[in-house]
Amino acid sequence: MKNYRPVAAILFTTLLLSCGNNQEEKQEAETPVETQTLNEEPLPELKKEAKKPKEDTHVKITHTEDKLIDLVWQLPEVKSLSDKIERESKGKRHLVGRISSTPSDDQEYYGVSVAEDNGEALATYFEFRIYPDNTMYYYDVVEDQELTLKEWRTRKK
């Protein structure tokens, strides 16, 4: 019976992690002092309701989500950090971009995380929020606030 305990514990933990609650806390919308809009037209796909996938999949990346991740990868801070991590790890570790949240009744933005894949887990370095008009904000998880890219760049110096 003791031989089954580690296997049961692993299965139970996996089940709990895969069924986690992904709801974000409802946050009050604040009017930003200054916004930085990316030089693109608003994405019409953001305003459409999300369609359910035809088959049950764990993660489905849409064309819109690919474009949003690409926008984040264009930031000089992301490119610089990616180069640094790959250089210092001699190519063993890499940054990855992923959609961390999608628009819902409680939020109108996509969350895009930039994290290091260290082989065991993803260590998040940056979290961005991109709104339907393509306005991008840096989300400061410690202060629980959105910053324009200009404000973020000023604060990190």
Side-chain angles (χ1 to χ4, degrees), residues 121-138:
L122 292 176
T124 302
Y125 284 93
F126 304 122
E127 179 72 32
F128 297 96
R129 291 179 173 176
I130 303 175
Y131 286 83
D133 64 355
N134 283 339
T135 305
M136 184 185 306
Y137 293 90
Y138 171 79

Side-chain angles (χ1 to χ4, degrees), residues 46-62:
L46 294 178
K47 295 179 182 176
K48 295 180 183 176
E49 289 188 30
K51 296 179 182 176
K52 291 187 178 182
K54 292 180 182 176
E55 53 185 73
D56 189 22
T57 58
H58 180 67
V59 176
K60 181 168 176 67
I61 302 286
T62 65

Side-chain angles (χ1 to χ4, degrees), residues 5-6 10 19 46 63 65 67-68 70 72 76 79 81 92 102 109 113 120 132-133 142 144-145 147 154 157:
R5 285 184 179 172
I10 291 170
C19 296
L46 294 178
H63 178 67
E65 292 170 355
K67 287 178 82 173
L68 296 175
D70 287 344
V72 169
K79 288 179 182 179
L81 181 62
K92 293 181 181 176
T102 57
Y109 58 84
S113 295
E120 293 184 20
D133 64 355
V142 174
D144 189 28
Q145 72 179 136
L147 301 171
T154 302
K157 287 185 180 183

Side-chain angles (χ1 to χ4, degrees), residues 2-137:
K2 290 182 181 180
N3 294 337
Y4 293 108
R5 285 184 179 172
V7 174
I10 291 170
L11 289 174
F12 182 72
T13 303
T14 304
L15 178 64
L16 283 178
L17 292 175
S18 66
C19 296
N21 186 356
N22 292 331
Q23 288 183 335
E24 302 260 342
E25 290 182 14
K26 188 172 185 178
Q27 300 192 7
E28 296 179 20
E30 294 182 17
T31 304
V33 175
E34 180 181 334
T35 62
Q36 180 169 342
T37 304
L38 302 175
N39 294 330
E40 286 195 13
E41 296 177 20
L43 298 171
E45 295 92 349
L46 294 178
K47 295 179 182 176
K48 295 180 183 176
E49 289 188 30
K51 296 179 182 176
K52 291 187 178 182
K54 292 180 182 176
E55 53 185 73
D56 189 22
T57 58
H58 180 67
V59 176
K60 181 168 176 67
I61 302 286
T62 65
H63 178 67
T64 299
E65 292 170 355
D66 283 337
K67 287 178 82 173
L68 296 175
I69 292 170
D70 287 344
L71 288 175
V72 169
W73 276 98
Q74 293 174 15
L75 295 172
E77 294 86 355
V78 174
K79 288 179 182 179
S80 174
L81 181 62
S82 178
D83 291 343
K84 179 182 176 186
I85 288 173
E86 290 198 23
R87 184 178 57 251
E88 290 180 0
S89 70
K90 297 179 178 143
K92 293 181 181 176
R93 294 185 179 183
H94 309 281
L95 279 187
V96 295
R98 67 179 187 88
I99 299 296
S100 56
S101 62
T102 57
S104 66
D105 292 340
D106 294 358
Q107 70 181 33
E108 60 178 319
Y109 58 84
Y110 276 91
V112 180
S113 295
V114 176
E116 176 187 350
D117 182 0
N118 63 23
E120 293 184 20
L122 292 176
T124 302
Y125 284 93
F126 304 122
E127 179 72 32
F128 297 96
R129 291 179 173 176
I130 303 175
Y131 286 83
D133 64 355
N134 283 339
T135 305
M136 184 185 306
Y137 293 90

